[in-house]
Amino acid sequence: RGLMVLMVQMVLMVLQALVPALVLTYATAMERRDHEVQEAQARALGLARTAADGYEELVQDVRQTLFTLSRIQEVRGNVASVCAPLLRDIRKNHPSYSAIIVADASGNVWCNTAPVATPLNVADRVSFQRAVQSLDFAMGDYRPGNAVFGGGAGFALPVLDESRRVQGVVMLTVDLSWVEKLGSRVGLPNGGVRTVMDSSGTILARYPDAKDWVGKTAPDAAALRDALGQRDEAAVKLSASDGARHLYGLARLPAGN
């Protein structure tokens, strides 16, 4: 009996000695896991910021181009034979510009980088309407490509007279394939995706697999908008439409006007 008591006491003592080690090991593993999650969130947010910064630089470049065009005589003079060569030269020097056009105050196009045989009116374009209403630089929606505009995001700036009345509108379409180039340069984690979408959830650019996604609605657009809320950036974990949990780095892009 004395031997049995001794053996039980020894076992208890061994277990008591192991418990702090087990707790410490568990706590250490949890801390390591939390640290890894924080690192992943920081990296996802950093990648989103990189894309947002690149886009903002592009928007500022577009704004400056449109501002310059709206002030020069080649555009204000309403002479297509003088204006069109200038627009083509600018487009040639800016590979991300897929089209540049100039329209009168009613939306009738009189100068563009891709001549068309039939009259063209752009009064229904969101960027045109916003520019006319705000009398300022404006961003429109995404449009698929065609012979005149090319595909991408549309921007516009009104041409104003001395009384700030609209005389015309200069419009520019930006090819968003730069996201693909950025994605190939800036290493994404294994299985990572970089996506640019507008406020309606339409995918404007994506890397990789751009051709399979651009122009379509992002499956998780509503959940991502809700997750971002009024913030400019966020890192969140969400259950995606495919049933898996994904880590998202979200950054709001400049809204044009």
Side-chain angles (χ1 to χ4, degrees), residues 18-234:
L18 285 175
V19 168
L22 291 172
V23 172
L24 177 60
T25 301
Y26 177 74
T28 301
M30 288 296 292
E31 289 174 359
R32 185 181 300 113
R33 173 64 176 169
D34 289 343
H35 179 68
E36 290 173 352
V37 169
Q38 290 173 2
E39 282 190 337
Q41 290 177 331
R43 185 178 184 191
L45 195 55
L47 290 170
R49 285 175 185 149
T50 299
D53 290 345
Y55 185 81
E56 186 166 6
E57 289 179 7
L58 181 63
V59 170
Q60 293 305 318
D61 180 69
V62 169
R63 182 195 293 267
Q64 184 59 49
T65 297
L66 291 179
F67 178 84
T68 301
L69 286 173
S70 71
R71 298 301 194 272
I72 61 177
Q73 187 57 37
E74 288 88 339
V75 170
R76 302 180 72 91
N78 291 344
V79 179
S81 60
V82 176
C83 170
L86 172 66
L87 298 191
R88 286 194 289 269
D89 284 344
I90 293 174
R91 183 188 175 191
K92 182 179 179 180
N93 292 323
H94 292 78
S96 61
Y97 296 174
S98 55
I100 310 172
I101 72 167
V102 185
D104 64 21
S106 298
N108 299 308
V109 176
W110 63 267
C111 180
N112 57 74
T113 50
V116 291
T118 57
L120 180 67
N121 187 283
V122 293
D124 63 335
R125 294 265 169 166
V126 174
S127 59
F128 179 92
Q129 295 172 358
R130 289 177 177 170
V132 170
Q133 291 168 4
S134 67
L135 302 182
D136 201 353
F137 176 72
M139 180 178 178
D141 53 2
Y142 171 84
R143 289 292 186 97
N146 58 42
V148 178
F149 287 99
F155 298 85
L157 186 74
V159 179
L160 306 175
D161 64 13
E162 293 180 356
S163 300
R164 291 188 60 78
R165 290 175 298 195
V166 177
Q167 301 300 298
V169 176
V170 187
M171 303 174 66
L172 195 155
T173 305
V174 174
D175 178 4
L176 296 179
S177 63
W178 63 271
V179 173
E180 299 177 46
K181 298 173 183 176
L182 181 63
S184 63
R185 288 201 313 268
V186 180
L188 293 173
N190 187 32
V193 173
R194 189 189 302 276
T195 304
V196 176
M197 64 182 183
D198 64 16
S199 57
S200 68
T202 300
I203 295 176
L204 308 183
R206 175 183 162 111
Y207 176 84
D209 305 324
K211 64 180 181 180
D212 297 328
W213 287 95
V214 170
K216 298 180 180 178
T217 299
D220 306 304
L224 294 174
R225 281 197 302 268
D226 291 343
L228 184 59
Q230 299 301 313
R231 294 174 291 180
D232 289 330
E233 60 183 32

